[in-house]
Amino acid sequence: MPSPLRFHFDFSSPYGYLASERIEALAARHGRAVDWRPMLLGAVFKIAGTQPLTSVPLKGDYTRRDLPRSARFHGIEFRMPSTFPIATQAPARIVVWQRSVDPGGCAAIVRALYRAYFVENRDISNADVAADAAATTGVSRDGARAAIDDPAIKDALRRDVDAAIAAGVFGSPFVFVDDEPFWGLDRFEQIDRWLAQGGF
Amino acid sequence: MPSPLRFHFDFSSPYGYLASERIEALAARHGRAVDWRPMLLGAVFKIAGTQPLTSVPLKGDYTRRDLPRSARFHGIEFRMPSTFPIATQAPARIVVWQRSVDPGGCAAIVRALYRAYFVENRDISNADVAADAAATTGVSRDGARAAIDDPAIKDALRRDVDAAIAAGVFGSPFVFVDDEPFWGLDRFEQIDRWLAQGGF
């Protein structure tokens, strides 16, 4: 059984959202599953001395134009949220909790949370909003809400983020195919060829 | 006659080099020419508070892996130069000079200079090395060498760089299709569709 594609993403990352809508089909084409790894880019920004794309002079204006264009190019519904960026501990912890209960449910939860933010313009940094969005997939609303304040889940997310950074993750989306790192939706074609040919 | 694709690049930019090897074919498929616009990313870094990719913690390691992989993916010869990054006034001024003499000769000169640096590992920040590389395309070696110290050419390059930044250029490669901006070789597929469909 080949290892799953490890998909690192931040819930506040628009390109992470676009990639989340494509990663499952890409993995499935090659008989792979997806290991959903929410992370907190804020921790990376501190280490790398970088900042959210939209805050960088010049780059910010371009990004606000590139995002809806890239969404149209890939045929993905997208609307820039009115509050951006946001803290993403709440949705990230829900995914960490779901992974501990039933990893198979993560894909639907990630999609529901990401769409709540990048399609429905709902502020998923709010614990109740995040729990409501997760509950639309059929999981327990109370379970999801409780996970956000659960010290064990908080610790697990913190360990995940540290491990991701130690592995070299500095942006979102970031995918590992076995040990090979790929940054960005822009690298999905390289991933496709890498999986088909076993490297190149 | 449709307007040429305006191709902004820095001679020290590895992704700019990779893109320079693909932009002409892309433009030609849609009956367009290429307007070669060397720029100086150092001026952008000052404004945007950014720095060369390879100098950013975490991102630097990834980039050193992604570059040769992306070159293999696109089937382009590439070798990371032993001195990197470099100042690129000398090669940029040669292109500005060539454009004033005969714009049709720019493509060959850009290719010769870029390959001298990213294939042959020659330090084109050196005026004599840059003039030698340009001369391999058949232009006057003395003319190219003199252009590097010509105050009028220096001014013209400075105006070009200012104009590029005013237009929103913050990275290399950066392409304008009419007024639509595209950053990176990663956007060449979007450019292709944009040209085919007149936008999307």
Side-chain angles (χ1 to χ4, degrees):
Chain A
M1 185 67 185
S3 62
L5 305 192
R6 215 162 79 236
F7 182 73
H8 297 273
F9 63 99
D10 186 307
F11 273 110
S12 193
S13 157
Y15 292 109
Y17 159 65
L18 297 181
S20 76
E21 297 270 324
R22 289 292 174 270
I23 186 73
E24 286 188 277
L26 173 59
R29 267 203 298 284
H30 301 281
R32 303 264 189 150
V34 176
D35 182 8
W36 302 90
R37 296 277 162 179
M39 67 163 318
L40 305 172
L41 275 182
V44 172
F45 294 152
K46 273 181 210 157
I47 292 173
T50 47
Q51 48 179 325
L53 273 179
T54 50
S55 309
V56 180
L58 298 172
K59 215 179 218 177
D61 289 336
Y62 174 79
T63 299
R64 276 183 284 276
R65 185 164 186 159
D66 181 65
L67 274 169
R69 186 180 66 199
S70 290
R72 291 194 304 274
F73 181 76
H74 291 287
I76 299 169
E77 210 176 343
F78 172 82
R79 176 180 165 190
M80 196 64 197
S82 45
T83 305
F84 179 88
I86 53 169
T88 52
Q89 278 84 354
R93 286 176 192 153
I94 291 178
V95 176
V96 170
W97 163 74
Q98 177 64 37
R99 210 172 51 215
S100 70
V101 178
D102 169 20
C106 286
I109 285 191
V110 169
R111 171 165 296 196
L113 287 163
Y114 251 147
R115 288 188 170 232
Y117 187 47
F118 284 112
V119 177
E120 297 154 25
N121 194 27
R122 291 164 63 202
D123 183 355
I124 58 170
S125 70
N126 179 290
D128 290 312
V129 172
D132 285 343
T136 63
T137 69
V139 300
S140 155
R141 198 262 178 211
D142 289 347
R145 180 64 190 80
I148 296 171
D149 297 325
D150 182 337
I153 298 294
K154 290 183 182 184
D155 277 353
L157 174 60
R158 220 172 283 132
R159 282 194 304 273
D160 263 21
V161 172
D162 289 347
I165 292 172
V169 174
F170 59 84
S172 166
F174 205 101
V175 181
F176 285 93
V177 179
D178 306 319
D179 289 330
E180 188 70 17
F182 295 90
W183 172 40
L185 175 57
D186 306 328
R187 287 292 174 274
F188 274 31
E189 296 191 344
Q190 291 197 21
I191 293 176
D192 201 35
R193 193 191 294 179
W194 192 273
L195 286 165
Q197 304 183 348
F200 55 78
Chain B
M1 185 67 186
S3 62
L5 305 192
R6 215 163 78 235
F7 182 73
H8 297 272
F9 63 100
D10 185 308
F11 273 110
S12 194
S13 159
Y15 293 110
Y17 159 64
L18 297 181
S20 77
E21 295 270 323
R22 290 293 174 267
I23 186 74
E24 285 188 277
L26 173 59
R29 267 203 298 285
H30 301 280
R32 303 263 189 150
V34 176
D35 181 7
W36 302 89
R37 294 278 163 178
M39 67 163 319
L40 306 172
L41 275 182
V44 172
F45 294 152
K46 274 182 210 156
I47 292 173
T50 48
Q51 49 179 324
L53 273 180
T54 50
S55 309
V56 180
L58 299 172
K59 215 180 218 176
D61 290 336
Y62 174 79
T63 300
R64 276 182 286 274
R65 186 164 187 158
D66 182 64
L67 275 168
R69 185 180 67 199
S70 291
R72 292 194 303 275
F73 182 76
H74 291 286
I76 299 169
E77 210 177 343
F78 172 81
R79 175 181 166 189
M80 197 64 196
S82 45
T83 305
F84 180 88
I86 53 169
T88 52
Q89 279 82 354
R93 285 175 193 154
I94 291 178
V95 176
V96 170
W97 163 73
Q98 178 64 35
R99 210 172 52 215
S100 71
V101 177
D102 169 21
C106 286
I109 285 191
V110 169
R111 171 163 296 197
L113 287 163
Y114 251 147
R115 289 190 168 230
Y117 186 46
F118 284 112
V119 177
E120 298 155 25
N121 193 27
R122 292 164 63 201
D123 183 355
I124 58 171
S125 70
N126 178 290
D128 289 313
V129 172
D132 285 343
T136 63
T137 69
V139 300
S140 156
R141 199 265 179 208
D142 290 347
R145 180 64 189 82
I148 295 171
D149 298 324
D150 181 337
I153 298 294
K154 290 183 183 185
D155 277 353
L157 174 59
R158 220 172 283 131
R159 282 194 304 273
D160 263 20
V161 172
D162 289 347
I165 292 173
V169 175
F170 60 84
S172 165
F174 205 101
V175 181
F176 284 93
V177 179
D178 306 319
D179 289 329
E180 189 70 15
F182 295 90
W183 173 40
L185 176 57
D186 306 328
R187 288 292 174 275
F188 274 32
E189 295 191 345
Q190 292 197 21
I191 293 175
D192 201 35
R193 192 190 294 178
W194 193 274
L195 286 165
Q197 303 183 350
F200 57 78

